[in-house]
Amino acid sequence: MKVLVPVKRVVDYNVKVRVKSDGTGVDTANVKMSMNPFDEIALEEAMRLKEAGKVTEVVAISCGVTQCQETLRTAMAIGADRGILVETTTELEPLAVAKLVQALAEKEQPQLIILGKQAIDDDSNQTGQMLAALLGWPQATFASKVVLEDGKVTVTREVDGGLETLALTLPAIITTDLRLNEPRYVTLPNIMKAKKKPLETVKPEDLGVDVAPRLKTLKVVEPAKRSAGIKVPDVATLVAKLRTEAKVI
């Protein structure tokens, strides 16, 4: 069984994001980039399925600029068998990424595609759902537990009222939530081994996919700074301020 795992290169979650002075987007110059944390969880789950003997090959996919090769090398250091980079300088929207992964899925013929539920840069939470619609495959989003056996995958997902369990026939698509697993650390020997693993580079036009943007960003601004909190001497003062200043009661 083959599993595809799309991984995205994003600004590292420890970095304080800054908006460009002209308001055209987020400043990424000289900023540390890393793999999207939700994609790390997806890759970890694929590796656990492989280590359990349920999966034979894990293929990592990334779409974007040349530097995404670093993200794929990290994925291969974690354990992916090979990587595929769809190289483009165009700013990709979720629909474009879904179409690119659809084209690769039709070429690679995997039985399972595991994605992070969202990327921490745009927070769209759309690619997995769009991909399922394009391929016509069953999907289970926000997975907190995955069990693969007898040609079916059982997914426990978190919903507002508790937990929901879905049984999907393969091929299928899963998007991962935070509580699915704890990703492993990358070791130096595995980083060295990853350098020898195959990494294929293709262009969107090679896959017959139009990645031209459908949306136009008009302006990006930082959120308004919150004023500092204050201490009040007693409950009566608190109620008075809530009534007269905050006007919430």
Side-chain angles (χ1 to χ4, degrees):
M1 176 185 287
K2 182 188 296 185
V3 176
L4 292 188
V5 183
V7 294
K8 186 176 184 181
R9 179 176 181 262
V10 299
V11 174
D12 190 88
Y13 69 92
N14 287 312
V15 173
K16 178 176 173 55
V17 175
R18 292 182 174 84
V19 175
K20 293 180 180 177
S21 57
D22 59 2
T24 56
V26 172
D27 187 6
T28 57
N30 301 316
V31 171
K32 181 183 178 183
M33 308 292 281
S34 60
M35 187 188 302
N36 178 46
F38 288 102
D39 297 340
E40 287 185 20
I41 294 170
L43 185 60
E44 174 66 25
E45 192 64 23
M47 294 314 306
R48 293 186 184 190
L49 291 173
K50 183 180 179 183
E51 290 165 355
K54 308 285 186 180
V55 169
T56 55
E57 184 181 23
V58 176
V59 182
I61 299 170
S62 193
C63 306
V65 295
T66 306
Q67 290 87 336
C68 290
Q69 290 185 12
E70 301 168 11
T71 308
L72 287 172
R73 290 296 179 193
T74 301
M76 289 187 279
I78 291 173
D81 297 288
R82 55 190 174 92
I84 303 174
L85 171 62
V86 183
E87 188 176 6
T88 177
T89 56
T90 303
E91 188 172 344
L92 297 174
E93 295 171 358
L95 180 59
V97 176
K99 288 181 177 179
L100 291 171
V101 178
Q102 175 198 14
L104 290 173
E106 291 170 349
K107 176 184 175 184
E108 294 285 337
Q109 294 295 307
Q111 290 296 296
L112 194 61
I113 302 178
I114 308 178
L115 312 87
K117 70 171 185 177
Q118 65 193 74
I120 62 171
D121 52 2
D122 57 16
D123 278 331
S124 292
N125 181 20
Q126 294 176 334
T127 304
Q129 293 89 327
M130 289 177 169
L131 179 60
L134 290 170
L135 288 170
W137 291 7
Q139 62 174 312
T141 56
F142 314 134
S144 59
K145 183 179 180 182
V146 175
V147 178
L148 180 62
E149 57 186 9
D150 300 327
K152 289 188 177 182
V153 58
T154 303
V155 178
T156 302
R157 59 189 301 268
E158 298 182 354
V159 295
D160 290 342
L163 299 176
E164 178 182 55
T165 302
L166 302 176
L168 311 179
T169 55
L170 299 177
I173 290 173
I174 297 172
T175 70
T176 61
D177 211 338
L178 279 174
R179 280 162 287 281
L180 178 59
N181 59 50
E182 184 74 29
R184 67 193 68 187
Y185 288 102
V186 181
T187 62
L188 182 59
N190 287 336
I191 292 174
M192 302 306 294
K193 291 176 185 177
K195 294 180 179 180
K196 299 180 181 179
K197 291 183 178 180
L199 196 161
E200 178 186 356
T201 301
V202 297
K203 302 286 187 182
E205 48 267 30
D206 298 334
L207 301 173
V209 177
D210 176 18
V211 295
R214 267 71 172 174
L215 305 174
K216 180 180 179 181
T217 301
L218 300 179
K219 192 175 183 182
V220 178
V221 296
E222 292 187 7
K225 292 184 178 179
R226 298 174 60 182
S227 57
I230 60 171
K231 291 183 179 180
V232 293
D234 50 46
V235 174
T237 307
L238 173 62
V239 172
K241 286 185 175 293
L242 289 175
R243 179 178 292 120
T244 60
E245 295 182 16
K247 292 182 169 48
V248 296
I249 59 174

